[in-house]
Amino acid sequence: MPEATQGKQPTITPLRVVIALCLIAPFVAMLWVGSYAKTEPLLAGVPFFYWYQMLWVLISTVLTVIAHRLWRLDQRARKGSEQR
C-alpha cells in the first residue's frame, strides 16, 4: 500500500452516508410533487397539499439538526484519530 494512503480514514463512511440521506430526503420529498398533489385528507380544514409541505418544513429542520450534530461528531472523531 502506498505510504500516502496508510493511516488515512476513508472519505465515505456510513456516518457520512446517513448525513447525506438526512439532507437529501427533504429535497426528494418536495420534488416528487405527484405524491402530494391532492386535496384529501384535510387536516383542520387545510388541504393535504399545504399541510404536507408545512410538515416537511418541520421534518427538514429536525433532519438538518441531526445532520449537523452527526457532522460535528464525525469531525471530532477525525481530529482525534489524526493526533494519534
Side-chain angles (χ1 to χ4, degrees):
M1 204 178 237
E3 290 179 27
T5 59
Q6 286 180 342
K8 272 188 143 183
Q9 293 182 349
T11 304
I12 299 174
T13 61
L15 185 61
R16 287 187 173 195
V17 171
V18 171
I19 292 168
L21 290 174
C22 285
L23 296 175
I24 291 172
F27 289 103
V28 172
M30 291 293 88
L31 290 175
W32 186 20
V33 179
S35 69
Y36 63 92
K38 52 190 171 188
T39 57
E40 298 291 328
L42 298 176
L43 180 68
V46 179
F48 181 74
F49 181 79
Y50 296 111
W51 69 258
Y52 178 80
Q53 292 177 67
M54 290 291 99
L55 179 64
W56 270 101
V57 169
L58 298 175
I59 294 170
S60 297
T61 303
V62 171
L63 289 174
T64 302
V65 168
I66 290 169
H68 176 67
R69 290 187 179 175
L70 290 175
W71 180 257
R72 286 178 34 196
L73 179 69
D74 182 62
Q75 293 305 302
R76 278 193 221 122
R78 287 178 179 272
K79 285 181 184 176
S81 68
E82 285 177 5
Q83 292 175 356
R84 293 180 191 170

